[in-house]
Amino acid sequence: MSNQATIGKDELAKQLRAIVGVANLVVDEETQKPYECDGLSVYCEMPLLVVLPETKEQVASVMRLCHEHRIPVVARGAGTGLCAGAMPNREGVLLSLAKLSRILDIDPVARIARVQPGVRNLAISEAAAGFGLYYAPDPSSQIACTIGGNVAENSGGVHCLKYGLTVHNILGFEMVTVEGEVLQVGGDGLDSAGYDLNALLIGSEGMLGVVTEISVKLLPKPQLAQALMVAFDDIEKAGNAVAAVIANGIIPAGLEMMDGHAIVAAEDFAKAGYPTEAKALLLCEVDGTVEEVEEHAERLEKIFLDQGAFLVRKSANEEERLLLWKGRKSAFPAVGRISPDYYCMDGTIPRSQLAHVLLEIERMSAEYGLRVANVFHAGDGNLHPLILFDANIPGELEKTEEFGGKILELSVDVGGSITGEHGVGKEKLRQMYKQFNDDELALFLAVKAAFDPQGLLNPGKGIPELRRCQEYRSIDLN
Amino acid sequence: MSNQATIGKDELAKQLRAIVGVANLVVDEETQKPYECDGLSVYCEMPLLVVLPETKEQVASVMRLCHEHRIPVVARGAGTGLCAGAMPNREGVLLSLAKLSRILDIDPVARIARVQPGVRNLAISEAAAGFGLYYAPDPSSQIACTIGGNVAENSGGVHCLKYGLTVHNILGFEMVTVEGEVLQVGGDGLDSAGYDLNALLIGSEGMLGVVTEISVKLLPKPQLAQALMVAFDDIEKAGNAVAAVIANGIIPAGLEMMDGHAIVAAEDFAKAGYPTEAKALLLCEVDGTVEEVEEHAERLEKIFLDQGAFLVRKSANEEERLLLWKGRKSAFPAVGRISPDYYCMDGTIPRSQLAHVLLEIERMSAEYGLRVANVFHAGDGNLHPLILFDANIPGELEKTEEFGGKILELSVDVGGSITGEHGVGKEKLRQMYKQFNDDELALFLAVKAAFDPQGLLNPGKGIPELRRCQEYRSIDLN
């Protein structure tokens, strides 16, 4: 137990049981095991206790109890995150929100759904489909990941170029503070009075409060969507084509890019019809009315050919469109087949730097002797380089982590960010020193202290401590 | 001077002069007079000193000096705000950013402009026009208001239904903290690591920091825009028509509404061809490619006729479109001609409550014996009821303020907000108690303290103090 805790594990378990019932408290190691890490399994830790409240009142009671006795709390959705943001704290309670999984209300006229945090991302769109509506942000894990987790990490997805990140699609929510108070944040209107806590909380990785109810925007399903598959013999041309599309003023619903390694792996796995001789492939989706789609697809085809594409193929029907996307969506597991292990990075760069950064990654790949497959949201400048390695070779994991860190630092150097949609979590604490100066970090910490003065919420994640700062700066970055 | 100040006025003036030069410090009352209030001239106060720095380094030095000596600082753009957010503090420095008025850079490929806070809103679009680009948020005051002021109040405008508020169009900025440190907030990418201070700062009314440089998103100018003028003999039908448009999935570039009083006043003033017998008028703009505009305008016409409009007129050319808007844009001065004084309110409500709220305002209008002209951003549910009164009649201003307060409280009761785009400032402090409970206000104050522990930045605005809370709650709201 933590130095600061004022209650023993057994007594804590007893009191938690009184709140959530016997069935909703996990004390034995075997049943706790699945909670040991999130999608980034490099970082694991067993929690003290796992609690699964069924109502928001129970969440508030759990928070009050933990606050009173200074017990750390780590909130968790489906655990699909990729930055160890939901990694448990060994001295704290792992608060699973999986059982708060009800869709409370869908208002098709206002186009708003009110949902609990444990609702799966895709389940919202499924429930709204009857009204011709859907929820736009679509992380790759959307079958499994929860909307509460999306809020915590400000998740993106293939379509966020046009439809925005989670923060652009959430109207407001109800949250429980570290002290167990229930607050309303944001609202159904376009703006609200007071500071914009809505945006502040979204993406705050469980460090400021626990969300117990969420109002999400629903959008009308587009009449039609069409995908263009565009192949280049040179990755620089593809990067320039992305810049040309955006400069032209068309905002595609999705604009994804894969490099040679990724194309071969994906084609081998999904048989999507990708040209395996290509050095770069763009998947570009347009949606809207029939007229819009037709007009945009034509203009895009012209831009791509002008930029030197050797092949542009438009999906002729829905089946073809889905097949083209199947390749992209299975790129991660496909890469998993060509390498024992891979490490997925997540940096964002200005679109104008795409070609430069890809060439630099290629150079570093040779330097480290580690292959890289690049799969990413090109339209947003959100890179997902997959570093291929073999954890069984001594030292290769460490080399991979170092290489990954260099890619993130490169992102910062060209004016980008160390995260696009995966968050900082435990994984990127060190790169935060690269991204922000001490004054900026001090401000983050002051905001944290405003919500959670004792540092009980998801400790050791997201924002690094200042006292470790000098040390890191001198050792790693100079 | 404030109890806490550790420097006299003369010594402060001397040190400020050393930073900004003699010409940029205003000490005499006559020259200070124009800074006495912002657009809401009900609230006036003379500042201690007015300072007009010319560089961000000077801003930082001014902040350091004031912080050292505990002098309050109120930042100001063009002073067009409508909530007394820029009203000076008698014991503090009024920090005008008018001289930081340079457009630093326009990147037409990345579609980003980097500007200083004193640049006028419209000047950005004018400078970007050569590249076929523009800055979308367009407050009515856009000829005069500055982008720094827009950031402080999270300004909206006629087109924010489709293109969003200021917060949706700012990528990042540079700010000076109360201590005089210079920080970077946000960035050119879609997301960034750490807490979303970008959104937190935007709309924080000068209470958290002073913005010295801003990166704004530029958008490609639409090929075509067309306006539809739609007349109803009943305000409820118009409210329902707005809901029907949104439910149908079309997002017009603008969707504005005027009631009978406003129609008559605007037509008399602008000769826009509005049917003065109408009880409600909608102006609906669609933009995009020629095909999109044509298709959307047709679908909208059908919806409006289905909802009982007795007249739908589409602008045949750009001249007609501008004439239709001229009426709407001159509605405020037009109303000024039919009444000695008017008070412009700013509440946001769920769109589904439009008809209900308008009928309630009509009822209260009779109760108070004060006429109301309604002009508003119907698509966003952002109301601007103009209460017509005569300040020369004793007690009428007080009655007007009470009536205005009731309208804001009604907005909260139906699930809306006490502000849409004008901010809280000094004007709506009291209604903050209606909108938020003590726990929520305490959180706002904790955030404030994280940035400005001594409360030097724009004191007495935006967030009310808790100690006054009980008092107000018991007197006014129960």
Side-chain angles (χ1 to χ4, degrees), chain A residues 274-324:
Chain A
Y274 295 168
T276 49
E277 73 277 22
K279 287 283 167 284
L281 196 75
L282 292 179
L283 282 182
C284 179
E285 183 155 298
V286 283
D287 65 13
T289 64
V290 177
E291 293 81 358
E292 275 172 275
V293 168
E294 205 168 292
E295 197 229 330
H296 283 173
E298 244 169 63
R299 279 168 64 193
L300 285 166
E301 182 172 19
K302 189 173 173 317
I303 294 170
F304 290 132
L305 292 173
D306 285 351
Q307 295 290 329
F310 70 79
L311 175 71
V312 179
R313 216 180 79 201
K314 292 190 257 185
S315 64
N317 51 45
E318 187 63 7
E319 196 186 341
E320 273 190 37
R321 185 182 77 85
L322 293 175
L323 184 61
L324 287 178

Side-chain angles (χ1 to χ4, degrees), chain A residues 403-451:
Chain A
F403 181 12
K406 293 274 186 227
I407 293 177
L408 297 183
E409 288 169 21
L410 172 63
S411 301
V412 175
D413 286 335
V414 299
S417 154
I418 60 171
T419 174
E421 52 184 8
H422 295 178
V424 174
K426 190 171 171 61
E427 181 197 21
K428 294 171 190 161
L429 277 181
R430 184 172 292 209
Q431 281 78 30
M432 288 291 282
Y433 296 121
K434 171 83 180 175
Q435 179 102 62
F436 299 103
N437 67 31
D438 290 4
D439 289 336
E440 289 157 347
L441 290 176
L443 197 50
F444 286 144
L445 292 171
V447 170
K448 164 74 171 172
F451 284 79

Side-chain angles (χ1 to χ4, degrees), chain B residues 242-294:
Chain B
V242 169
V245 167
I246 303 298
N248 197 275
I250 299 175
I251 301 183
L255 183 51
E256 300 284 306
M257 186 161 159
M258 287 184 271
D259 72 0
H261 288 303
I263 296 166
V264 171
E267 177 58 19
D268 191 42
F269 185 90
K271 315 280 184 236
Y274 295 168
T276 49
E277 73 277 21
K279 287 285 167 283
L281 195 76
L282 292 180
L283 283 181
C284 180
E285 183 155 297
V286 283
D287 65 13
T289 63
V290 177
E291 294 80 358
E292 275 172 278
V293 168
E294 204 168 293

Side-chain angles (χ1 to χ4, degrees), chain A residues 455-474:
Chain A
L456 297 176
L457 290 170
N458 212 5
K461 312 282 176 65
I463 314 289
E465 289 168 42
L466 272 181
R467 62 185 164 80
R468 300 172 61 191
C469 204
Q470 280 315 319
E471 197 182 318
Y472 269 134
R473 284 199 201 284
S474 54

